[in-house]
Amino acid sequence: MPTFEYSGKTSSGQMISGVLEAPNKDELIKALRKQRVIVTKVKKKAKSMNIVIGSGVKAVEISRFTRQFAVMIEAGLPLVQCLDIMAGQTTNKVFGKIIADIRDSVSSGSTLSNAMAKHKKVFDELYVNMVEAGELGGALETILKRLAEYREKSDAIRRKVKGALTYPAIVSTMLILIAWVMLTFIVPIFAGMFESLECELPKPTQVVINFSNFLKANLVLMIGIIIILIVAYKMGMKNHKTRYYLDFIKLRMPILGPLIRKSSVARFSRTLATLQQSGVNIIDALTITSKTSGNAVLERAIKNAIISISQGETITKPLEESKVFPSMVIQMISVGEKTGNIDEMLGRIADFYDDEVDAAVESLTALIEPLMTVVMGIVVGGLLVAMYLPMFDIIGKIKG
């Protein structure tokens, strides 16, 4: 269906403009007249070629949009006007078009949640369901505030975890690059020099030279293996069973495992608490939480909890069997179930584990920085020493 850009006046004389889909211009004008809009200009929108990776919208932009939307709604501005203002002020053109499309859908009679559901890459199921709950309960501004807080806290945890992993990733990349340059370009120069001297090389030097020769001879093969491993990992993450085992391994890793576990527990607790506080029933809330958990082990535990609740049992048993949740969390959820304050308990768990993630990130950073420095020193220093050992032997023989 073609898309048209239009401008016109409302019955009160206010100038409006927008973009709508219609079979033709006449149908568009008829639809706008039913909304008491006098059309002054209509033109078919030109098709544009936009290459967008992912959704084209950053998580922080969605959080900022949610916070601003909540403030505007609370101030009493009409829904369409709020969307119109935000569509015009966002610096991200992709996001601006999405907001404008939502505005047009709402002005055509669609609900806000249904309009947002058309853009699943930007507004996930959790977001749409919470907005729908706000619309049905007549408390959209309250729900948007809660959603903004949830997203801001989730984004903060995500940034902290990424920040903790950025330093070792950069150092590891630099270490591999330095080692590759030394083995590919520097070591062969020394090897040629030692070969011309026809002297017996120390074992460390011979090992380094052999590895350098192997690397040069099989560089394409090794690059191919690395690419295959990356592709295999990506494909494995798309397969549910393989993803489960990979996520299980991540949770059991010696250094990063505890951080991933605490981050997963915080995310689960925050998501479920926010949905429960917004009036979403427990089965739907758990279903949405399982889809946004980000971990297959946790997802399976939540799905088992849904089955348990459907059969009239408690939520705690399947969560305990997953071995992801610490006993303190299980006990607090159990108390929340018995007292009817599960959302409050989950909120407290989320706050506690937010602090735990902060502490874990600080500890991890303090541990990794000196460790990576030592590893880099050993690798680079070891290569240099291995290359200079024959020179020491030669100098010793000359002096002798």
Side-chain angles (χ1 to χ4, degrees), residues 27-38:
E27 291 295 327
L28 176 69
I29 292 168
K30 283 180 184 178
L32 290 169
R33 278 178 182 169
K34 288 180 182 179
Q35 299 175 35
R36 297 181 180 181
V37 175
I38 302 167

Side-chain angles (χ1 to χ4, degrees), residues 360-380:
V361 167
E362 288 177 8
S363 300
L364 186 64
T365 304
L367 174 68
I368 284 178
E369 285 184 7
L371 184 64
M372 293 303 294
T373 304
V374 169
V375 170
M376 182 174 274
I378 291 171
V379 172
V380 176

Side-chain angles (χ1 to χ4, degrees), residues 136-309:
L136 294 172
L140 185 58
E141 68 279 0
T142 305
I143 295 296
L144 285 170
K145 272 186 179 179
R146 201 170 285 155
L147 190 52
E149 288 172 7
Y150 163 78
R151 290 196 63 89
E152 285 161 1
K153 288 179 179 178
S154 297
D155 290 347
I157 290 176
R158 199 179 294 112
R159 282 196 301 272
K160 285 168 186 173
V161 173
K162 283 184 179 179
L165 300 177
T166 299
Y167 178 80
I170 292 171
V171 174
S172 299
T173 304
M174 290 300 297
L175 178 59
I176 292 168
L177 186 62
I178 291 167
W180 178 76
V181 169
M182 291 183 71
L183 288 167
T184 308
F185 299 103
I186 299 172
V187 171
I189 295 170
F190 280 90
M193 183 178 68
F194 297 147
E195 191 176 346
S196 64
L197 292 172
E198 296 182 354
C199 60
E200 188 178 349
L201 298 176
K203 196 164 187 179
T205 307
Q206 191 62 58
V207 169
V208 171
I209 290 173
N210 290 341
F211 185 70
S212 174
N213 292 335
F214 173 81
L215 188 64
K216 286 179 69 179
N218 299 280
L219 183 61
V220 176
L221 176 64
M222 292 182 73
I223 292 172
I225 291 170
I226 291 169
I227 292 170
I228 290 168
L229 289 172
I230 293 170
V231 172
Y233 174 79
K234 293 284 185 183
M235 291 178 68
M237 290 300 286
K238 290 180 181 179
N239 180 277
H240 187 72
K241 285 185 178 179
T242 310
R243 181 169 164 252
Y244 177 86
Y245 290 115
L246 288 171
D247 284 344
F248 182 84
I249 292 167
K250 288 176 187 176
L251 291 170
R252 297 295 186 275
M253 288 168 70
I255 296 174
L256 295 176
L259 177 60
I260 295 170
R261 182 189 298 270
K262 288 171 183 178
S263 178
S264 298
V265 172
R267 185 172 185 176
F268 162 81
S269 305
R270 181 76 62 200
T271 305
L272 190 55
T274 305
L275 287 165
Q276 283 279 276
Q277 289 164 3
S278 302
V280 180
N281 70 71
I282 186 66
I283 298 293
D284 289 342
L286 283 167
T287 303
I288 296 164
T289 304
S290 71
K291 292 177 181 178
T292 58
S293 64
N295 187 287
V297 179
L298 197 61
E299 185 180 338
R300 182 181 290 186
I302 297 167
K303 286 180 178 177
N304 289 338
I306 294 170
I307 296 168
S308 180
I309 292 171

